[in-house]
Amino acid sequence: MKERLELLAKEAERAIEAAASDKDALLQLKARYLGRKGEFSGFLKELAALPAEDRKAAGEAINQAKTRLEDAIAILIGGIEGRWKEAALAKERLDVTLPGRTMPLGKRHPVMQVMEEIQEVFFGLGFDIAEGPEIELDSYNFEKLNIPKDHPAREMQDTFYVSSDVLLRTHTSPVQIRVMENKRPPVRVIAPGTVFRRDSDVTHSPMFHQVEGFMVDKGVSFANLKAVLADFLRTFFGRDTGVRFRPSFFPFTEPSAEADIRCVLCKGAGCRVCKGSGWLEILGAGMIHPEVFRSVGYDYEEYSGFAFGLGVERIAMLKYGIDDLRLLFENDLRFLKQF
Amino acid sequence: MPCSYNWLKEYAAGLPSPKAAAEALTMSGTEVESVTETGVSAANVVTAEVLTVVKHPNADKLSLCGVRTDKGTHSIVCGAKNMKPGDKVALAMPGAELPGGIKIKKSRIRGVESEGMMCSEHELGIKDASDGILILPPDTPLGVEIGAILGGRDALLEVSITPNRADLLSIRGVARELSAITGAAFKDKEIRVEETGATIDGLVSVSIAEGAPCGRYCARVIKGAVIGQSPAAVKARLEAAGIRSINNVVDVTNYVMLETGQPLHAFDLAKVGGGRINVRLASDGERLETIDGKARVLDPSMLVIADVNGPVALAGVMGGKASEVSDATKDILLEAAWFVPSSVRKTAKKTGLPSESSYRFERGVDIEGARAAIDMAADMIIRLAGGAVAKGVIDVCKEKQSREPVRFRVKRAESLLGTALTGAACLDIFKRLGMDAKDAGEGVLTATPPSFRVDLNCETDLIEEIARINGYDNIPPHPPVARLVTPEIPGSARFRTRAAAVLAGAGFSEVVNYSFVSRRMLELAGGGEPVEILNPLSDELSVMRQSLAPSLLGNLCYNLQRKNADVRIFEIAPVFQTRPGEKLPEERWKIAGLMHGSRYGEGWNAPGDRVDFYDCKGEVERLLGQLGAASAAFNPKGAPVFLHPGKSASIELNGANAGYIGEAHPGVNARLDLKRPVYIFELDAASIARAASPAHYSAIPRFPESARDIAFVIGESMPYEEIIRAIERLDAKLIERVSVFDVYYGEGIEPGYRSMALRIIYRSAERTLRYEEVEELHGLVGRELTSRFGAVIR
């Protein structure tokens, strides 16, 4: 039986090979050899006649031969059908380079995007977010920040007044006072917001945005200020950004500092944007002034803190390469949709 | 403030290069904005006098001049027209090299020999452009190198001085600072005034009235001065500082102010009534004509210098016209005083007269510096204008300002700065800064700041000096250690950020507008009396917004003018409303949006539909849904009047007003010249936040639904929402949902009516509804529509 089985399998293989690209012929071959009344089924009937000990091996040999032939036919038919389908699908081709159908595109304003990115960095450092009113009392905007009336430092910030003691806040620093009056140290707060100065030209807008931040605890130092702000600037502008701190003056901090980053355009060689200095002024900071602590009832001997403020428009302009401040407030959709 | 490098070197000869000095200043807290090379670098350019000017024999546009130096007369061909015989000029001799690289040699110009060139300021590299050649003052000596007259090669440091550093508002002050930072030795000038006149006491008297904000008043008298022009070098330094040259005496007061920081004033002594100076507050209604020719009415807050007849100067701000030094002046009364900063500031502000003098007084002049300054000025006046200085100085000193020593704890400085320090190093810094400093033991130093450092008063002031002089670069950064607690965000801020994300996702671009608008724009949206700005930049920016809608309409117009026709924008910002009895107005955050133009944008495969009311409403519903406040009701009444009365609604959440939506009123469109309908919504952020509820799971139905449709004709004024509410009320348990799938007006429907088709989903949460039950309920719906609304079932 074994020889006959092999002979038949060989014959079937040859027949299949010959009919390899003819689906109908292959189906006929399948019926002839493998069908219920096909040639292999004859062998199955013979099994019963074999001695019990040979039956198992013979059965396996028959099944193996059948399976091999079945697979061969299935692969060939699959191939034929596949080619036929490909040909049909090829006729259904789209021009995939035509533009897609979308809903109209909406974008967040670049200043708002940057403001949120800044908040995220500090939120990650565990800074609370706080807000204060845009129309503010003179005492919060100036006096409690160690800027008394008739002090030349008021000239640093030209102010819009609503009445003799109510104004449009010129900075987000009054939020420092509002927070510290209501919360004992330790505090870590970031305060984003809109501020106003009576100044309007190519590089000044009468309204702009700031992010204020401060941290008060026992033992907070200038070295901490440098670490936190340099870390922030490198997170924002890139790990290899050059950062420097130089002394400055703000009435509500002492020592006060200004932080510069290496010019993002010329990398320090000197260009129009950095006015040839190679550095870009990016934020003001300092250790919170003892007078400010006094006005909110914090003990200056026990606690210390740093504060900083940064102009969001300037950072947005640097980040996106915007060369004209006025674009940020014109709200031209051709501009807004770029970010 | 521009600082001449050469001038600085008169006090600190060993300064590093201008660039290095600028860097050192910047890194110690005094920012140098620019360093500009100035002055004449030319050699072999000497002063000369024009003797003759005749036309060039062979050229109409050239002149042939005879020009004399100390060495002889030279024949010069010149193209300029502005010289005449007798003028003093700068003559470039053969061999001279001018800043532009021009080499001067003898040459023949149109057949005539020229033995040099008369120079313009441009050719000398002093100015970018000039008209004609430079004409020097008539008293200029001949044959002197021009650099010696105009100041040689120099660099101008543009120094930005912070308001606390009054002591840097002078050349001497900046030099002193540079010396402290760089270690270059500081050397003060020695001034000895030759007093050859009569004793001052017989000539003038000075008194300071009780309570007058004047701490010191020094006076000197110079008799017999001759008023004239200042030498070019003096003029050049004044001009570089932006001060116009007036005459030799006034120029000296300004020159000495620039050099020492002490403002000075020179009176024509003959015009000071009785020679008696009284420093006092003005009486109400007193008048003074100031040097600028304006008549000022004074009040008792203003400090004046008065003579027996009345005020002759506004103290520290501006002198009086009547007593100013004029060409006829012979005798001079020189003033160097110290006025209380806040008093000068108030007067300068009130009179609108900020001056170089008031600027310095406001910030704090060194009360100890008056005497040296007045001596320097007197000495300089007799050198420039002749005359004799009267013997003695009147020096009325009301308050002797002695500085208290400040305690400085090295440990405290270390903890505030976060870096290690030594007492010895700190002591050294204090001394370099001119303080009288001592080690008091146990880590404590005491330092008495010099009189000119009005900004140093407490320990922290001194700590800043240590950090500043050591250099911030020398404090290594050190991350703080803090308690690990979850940060807080105000819910409202988080909420607004989410709203912005939803709107941007729905195709709206975010705009940022000024919080102030014009009254005209404000009134577009109505509202009560706005918060008004007392000192607006313009009428266009004069009142605080009460609604975001006018700004959005403005943005629309701006974009339409630029052919951006499809506009979907939103803004999230506070609006302001006065509150009776409260100082601060109410600030409420609004979320507002505007839609205009095509629904799908322009695309090859987009239908050209335009947005309508229901697009806008859909966006509001989507937004409210995303914010967890889907239960909003749209009330056809109560929307603001700037909206179309038939195409607008007020939005209510839990029965309270939370905003509005609608098409802009055709009247608004007409005013703004808008051709197409505009849809606007504005929501109150706090109201939404209050109504918002977190998502809560409800079980997914286990039993099948039964859907039934019903179509009917109904009066068109009956709002859809009322119809479905009436249906839903019939059986809250079994009527799961009612929705509309067709609304039809027109052919076959009587005017005033509309046809509606609703789909009603019936379902029980507990079992499968029987056919009969559903039919019965659906019949009930039909009867309700008929009986309640007079609907005709179709």
Side-chain angles (χ1 to χ4, degrees):
Chain A
M1 190 175 95
K2 203 179 168 196
E3 288 102 69
R4 280 188 293 121
L5 187 66
E6 272 170 20
L7 217 63
L8 183 65
K10 283 243 168 68
E11 179 197 313
E13 273 167 21
R14 274 196 298 275
I16 290 167
E17 213 170 302
S21 58
D22 186 339
K23 187 181 166 192
D24 290 337
L26 285 169
L27 288 172
Q28 278 170 22
L29 289 175
K30 190 177 175 187
R32 178 175 149 203
Y33 289 107
L34 306 170
R36 225 181 330 146
K37 292 180 180 163
E39 303 201 14
F40 277 95
S41 53
F43 287 109
L44 290 173
K45 284 174 194 147
E46 287 176 34
L47 282 180
L50 289 178
E53 62 269 26
D54 295 341
R55 219 179 275 159
K56 194 176 173 214
E60 268 172 22
I62 297 168
N63 278 331
Q64 271 175 16
K66 274 181 79 176
T67 308
R68 211 167 52 239
L69 291 172
E70 267 169 11
D71 287 351
I73 292 171
I75 286 166
L76 286 171
I77 289 179
I80 292 164
E81 283 182 342
R83 276 194 295 281
W84 176 75
K85 277 188 189 151
E86 285 299 320
L89 292 179
K91 291 184 187 137
E92 294 173 6
R93 186 177 299 142
L94 292 177
D95 179 356
V96 296
T97 66
L98 274 171
R101 184 185 292 119
T102 59
M103 283 297 290
L105 183 73
K107 291 289 181 79
R108 297 294 312 275
H109 193 283
V111 166
M112 295 299 157
Q113 289 191 36
V114 167
M115 195 138 93
E116 272 168 29
E117 280 175 53
I118 296 167
Q119 289 178 62
E120 271 167 33
V121 175
F122 285 100
F123 194 66
L125 288 174
F127 280 64
D128 292 342
I129 294 175
E131 291 180 323
E134 293 180 14
I135 301 185
E136 187 51 283
L137 296 169
D138 185 286
S139 59
Y140 282 89
N141 195 74
F142 288 129
E143 279 166 54
K144 293 182 179 192
L145 286 162
N146 193 32
I147 314 173
K149 283 208 159 71
D150 293 313
H151 192 278
R154 287 213 176 187
E155 261 165 39
M156 294 168 90
Q157 302 179 358
D158 248 335
T159 310
F160 287 113
Y161 283 93
V162 164
S163 71
S164 61
D165 55 354
V166 177
L167 43 76
L168 306 193
R169 65 175 175 193
T170 57
H171 48 185
T172 39
S173 306
V175 182
Q176 269 186 50
I177 304 292
R178 288 185 175 273
V179 169
M180 289 194 282
E181 277 184 346
N182 289 301
K183 197 175 174 192
R184 303 299 308 165
V187 289
R188 288 209 289 292
V189 173
I190 198 100
T194 309
V195 301
F196 305 86
R197 298 210 187 150
R198 203 174 172 285
D199 205 352
S200 182
D201 58 37
V202 179
T203 54
H204 295 90
S205 166
M207 183 186 106
F208 55 100
H209 298 82
Q210 278 190 341
V211 175
E212 181 88 6
F214 59 100
M215 170 173 184
V216 181
D217 202 346
K218 286 178 183 163
V220 172
S221 70
F222 192 83
N224 295 157
L225 173 157
K226 282 187 70 175
V228 170
L229 293 180
D231 188 21
F232 160 72
L233 290 171
R234 292 196 176 109
T235 304
F236 204 89
F237 290 103
R239 275 291 139 201
D240 54 353
T241 305
V243 178
R244 75 171 185 184
F245 291 82
R246 57 192 162 75
S248 188
F249 169 75
F250 305 106
F252 35 91
T253 51
E254 189 169 39
S256 298
E258 214 126 23
D260 299 339
I261 56 166
R262 268 287 175 212
C263 181
V264 293
L265 258 84
C266 65
K267 308 284 175 214
C271 69
R272 192 183 51 82
V273 171
C274 61
K275 292 186 197 127
S277 71
W279 293 97
L280 294 168
E281 212 172 292
I282 207 83
L283 59 82
M287 301 303 293
I288 300 175
H289 198 280
E291 286 300 322
V292 175
F293 268 23
R294 191 163 306 154
S295 71
V296 299
Y298 279 14
D299 182 351
Y300 189 63
E301 285 294 313
E302 188 176 359
Y303 294 107
S304 56
F306 65 76
F308 58 91
L310 39 90
V312 182
E313 275 77 2
R314 180 167 170 78
I315 294 183
M317 288 173 77
L318 291 174
K319 173 170 175 166
Y320 295 114
I322 301 166
D323 56 3
D324 186 345
L325 174 68
R326 290 168 297 192
L327 285 165
L328 294 171
F329 297 97
E330 279 169 355
N331 296 309
D332 188 323
L333 283 166
R334 292 167 299 178
F335 171 79
L336 295 175
K337 293 200 171 189
Q338 293 182 23
F339 303 97
Chain B
M1 187 181 80
C3 281
S4 152
Y5 178 73
N6 288 346
W7 207 349
L8 292 170
K9 283 186 99 164
E10 291 176 18
Y11 283 95
L15 282 186
S17 74
K19 275 227 170 334
E23 175 75 6
L25 277 174
T26 295
M27 292 312 286
S28 69
T30 304
E31 198 181 345
V32 178
E33 285 167 3
S34 63
V35 179
T36 321
E37 302 278 337
T38 64
V40 183
S41 63
N44 234 347
V45 180
V46 297
T47 55
E49 181 182 2
V50 178
L51 297 176
T52 55
V53 181
V54 295
K55 200 181 84 59
H56 189 290
N58 305 327
D60 286 344
K61 290 192 173 162
L62 297 178
S63 306
L64 187 58
C65 304
V67 183
R68 182 167 68 100
T69 63
D70 60 330
K71 304 240 164 48
T73 304
H74 313 267
S75 174
I76 309 290
V77 175
C78 182
K81 295 262 180 287
N82 64 322
M83 64 287 177
K84 57 180 191 305
D87 280 348
K88 298 286 173 62
V89 296
L91 179 64
M93 304 294 285
E97 192 168 336
L98 298 180
I102 309 166
K103 284 186 182 139
I104 304 297
K105 51 183 189 279
K106 273 190 192 176
S107 60
R108 293 186 79 80
I109 300 173
R110 294 263 184 134
V112 176
E113 191 171 56
S114 184
E115 298 172 300
M117 182 175 96
M118 292 189 282
C119 301
S120 68
E121 286 174 284
H122 172 64
E123 284 153 348
L124 290 171
I126 306 169
K127 285 192 176 156
D128 290 341
S130 47
D131 196 15
I133 61 166
L134 170 65
I135 307 292
L136 297 164
D139 57 354
T140 306
L142 298 186
V144 180
E145 280 286 343
I146 192 71
I149 299 289
L150 298 180
R153 205 179 164 73
D154 197 359
L156 217 53
L157 278 61
E158 188 56 53
V159 181
S160 163
I161 293 154
T162 53
N164 58 324
R165 294 302 302 274
D167 63 302
L168 298 184
L169 292 168
S170 65
I171 294 294
R172 185 168 169 268
V174 173
R176 192 169 50 204
E177 174 82 355
L178 272 167
S179 154
I181 313 162
T182 64
F186 177 79
K187 193 166 172 294
D188 229 334
K189 288 185 184 173
E190 267 179 49
I191 305 293
R192 288 220 347 262
V193 190
E194 244 183 285
E195 298 174 334
T196 55
T199 306
I200 193 168
D201 293 337
L203 301 171
V204 291
S205 71
V206 172
S207 60
I208 301 174
E210 191 59 38
C214 170
R216 188 176 192 185
Y217 197 100
C218 297
R220 266 193 182 276
V221 168
I222 295 106
K223 295 197 83 168
V226 180
I227 308 304
Q229 284 204 36
S230 296
V234 170
K235 282 185 178 178
R237 280 186 170 174
L238 292 178
E239 197 179 311
I243 295 177
R244 200 163 48 91
S245 167
I246 309 285
N247 59 45
N248 47 11
V249 171
V250 174
D251 287 358
V252 164
T253 61
N254 283 326
Y255 188 95
V256 173
M257 174 183 71
L258 291 178
E259 181 161 332
T260 66
Q262 168 68 51
L264 296 129
H265 188 64
F267 296 97
D268 183 336
L269 181 55
K271 306 284 173 60
V272 177
R276 281 161 61 183
I277 290 289
N278 184 22
V279 186
R280 61 169 170 82
L281 292 169
S283 343
D284 219 350
E286 262 188 318
R287 284 163 186 278
L288 174 69
E289 188 187 354
T290 40
I291 285 174
D292 56 3
K294 292 209 175 105
R296 313 267 170 189
V297 181
L298 311 180
D299 70 52
S301 74
M302 299 172 178
L303 186 69
V304 295
I305 314 302
D307 66 3
V308 291
N309 304 315
V312 291
L314 268 175
V317 178
M318 194 177 264
K321 182 91 182 159
S323 59
E324 76 173 327
V325 172
S326 70
D327 290 349
T329 302
K330 290 194 171 56
D331 302 336
I332 291 148
L333 169 61
L334 205 54
E335 161 201 297
W338 188 91
F339 305 116
V340 172
S342 63
S343 158
V344 175
R345 183 177 162 78
K346 269 187 230 159
T347 306
K349 239 185 143 180
K350 237 180 211 173
T351 52
L353 274 178
S355 62
E356 292 281 344
S357 159
S358 69
Y359 191 83
R360 286 172 174 76
F361 277 124
E362 281 171 21
R363 281 160 176 74
V365 164
D366 179 9
I367 198 165
E368 303 295 340
R371 186 61 193 272
I374 204 167
D375 286 354
M376 183 185 284
D379 176 56
M380 198 167 161
I381 285 173
I382 55 169
R383 283 191 289 112
L384 299 192
V389 181
K391 273 197 189 64
V393 186
I394 294 180
D395 187 351
V396 184
C397 206
K398 226 178 59 175
E399 44 191 284
K400 186 73 193 158
Q401 297 231 332
S402 68
R403 298 294 298 261
E404 293 294 316
V406 180
R407 250 168 68 89
F408 174 90
R409 294 165 294 172
V410 178
K411 276 246 164 330
R412 172 70 183 170
E414 283 184 324
S415 104
L416 199 65
L417 298 178
T419 192
L421 298 167
T422 67
C426 295
L427 207 58
D428 177 54
I429 286 173
F430 292 150
K431 286 180 176 159
R432 273 159 66 189
L433 290 166
M435 296 188 218
D436 179 12
K438 284 190 275 295
D439 189 340
E442 294 179 7
V444 175
L445 310 180
T446 59
T448 310
S451 60
F452 53 84
R453 287 302 301 271
V454 293
D455 59 319
L456 302 182
N457 298 298
C458 66
E459 185 179 46
T460 312
D461 296 338
L462 298 189
I463 294 174
E464 179 172 55
E465 292 303 290
I466 295 296
R468 191 171 76 78
I469 300 299
N470 265 341
Y472 284 3
D473 280 348
N474 294 318
I475 300 175
H478 182 75
V481 173
R483 282 172 224 204
L484 204 58
V485 286
T486 339
E488 288 173 18
I489 307 188
S492 57
R494 204 192 288 264
F495 188 77
R496 295 193 304 262
T497 309
R498 262 177 52 211
V502 172
L503 286 167
F508 289 77
S509 287
E510 186 174 25
V511 293
V512 172
N513 286 293
Y514 290 154
S515 298
F516 21 62
V517 292
S518 67
R519 239 174 215 283
R520 198 179 60 86
M521 281 309 268
L522 178 102
E523 280 160 6
L524 213 56
E529 197 42 38
V531 177
E532 198 172 350
I533 296 166
L534 296 180
N535 55 339
L537 276 173
S538 73
D539 286 347
E540 292 303 302
L541 310 170
S542 61
V543 288
M544 300 303 283
R545 292 191 284 185
Q546 294 171 309
S547 158
L548 305 182
S551 304
L552 294 182
L553 285 165
N555 298 145
L556 172 66
C557 295
Y558 184 92
N559 276 290
L560 290 180
Q561 281 157 16
R562 281 153 188 82
K563 305 254 184 277
N564 305 326
D566 297 335
V567 176
R568 275 180 203 211
I569 48 177
F570 77 97
E571 182 168 17
I572 300 180
V575 299
F576 306 85
Q577 195 68 57
T578 49
R579 271 190 295 202
E582 297 269 352
K583 275 200 163 161
L584 294 184
E586 182 182 34
E587 294 184 16
R588 294 193 75 89
W589 283 83
K590 300 286 177 182
I591 303 167
L594 178 148
M595 296 176 86
H596 176 277
S598 67
R599 177 176 295 156
Y600 302 108
E602 276 172 28
W604 63 279
N605 53 0
D609 308 8
R610 309 194 67 82
V611 290
D612 64 17
F613 177 86
Y614 296 104
D615 290 303
C616 192
K617 187 179 176 194
E619 296 302 349
V620 171
E621 287 169 327
R622 183 217 302 253
L623 174 63
L624 291 171
Q626 291 279 7
L627 296 176
S631 64
F634 290 75
N635 185 340
K637 297 190 194 76
V641 291
F642 75 96
L643 297 178
H644 188 302
K647 300 179 181 175
S648 62
S650 60
I651 298 170
E652 289 167 3
L653 285 166
N654 299 337
N657 189 296
Y660 62 80
I661 178 173
E663 182 179 317
H665 195 286
V668 170
N669 274 32
R671 276 178 67 183
L672 298 176
D673 201 20
L674 295 168
K675 307 274 186 295
R676 307 233 181 225
V678 184
Y679 301 92
I680 303 175
F681 67 85
E682 182 162 16
L683 302 167
D684 184 71
S687 302
I688 305 173
R690 213 170 24 248
S693 48
H696 188 82
Y697 165 75
S698 49
I700 292 164
R702 290 165 54 209
F703 299 98
E705 62 174 40
S706 297
R708 293 286 187 281
D709 295 347
I710 187 165
F712 52 91
V713 174
I714 196 167
E716 69 173 355
S717 63
M718 183 50 60
Y720 163 77
E721 225 164 61
E722 271 190 45
I723 300 169
I724 61 161
R725 294 258 157 77
I727 297 171
E728 283 166 350
R729 270 197 303 270
L730 289 174
D731 194 322
K733 275 194 173 157
L734 302 184
I735 297 177
E736 184 181 88
R737 196 167 73 244
V738 184
S739 56
V740 60
F741 65 90
D742 188 42
V743 178
Y744 176 73
Y745 300 82
E747 211 180 317
I749 305 293
E750 234 180 290
Y753 289 82
R754 59 178 170 174
S755 159
M756 265 189 171
L758 305 183
R759 170 154 300 165
I760 304 170
I761 307 292
Y762 300 95
R763 193 199 310 259
S764 162
E766 284 129 26
R767 61 202 160 81
T768 302
L769 290 178
R770 282 176 295 112
Y771 175 81
E772 297 78 22
E773 271 181 299
V774 174
E775 284 300 301
E776 194 188 321
L777 255 176
H778 199 58
L780 199 62
V781 168
R783 284 194 296 283
E784 176 76 4
L785 289 173
T786 313
S787 63
R788 184 184 277 267
F789 303 111
V792 177
I793 312 294
R794 303 180 84 189

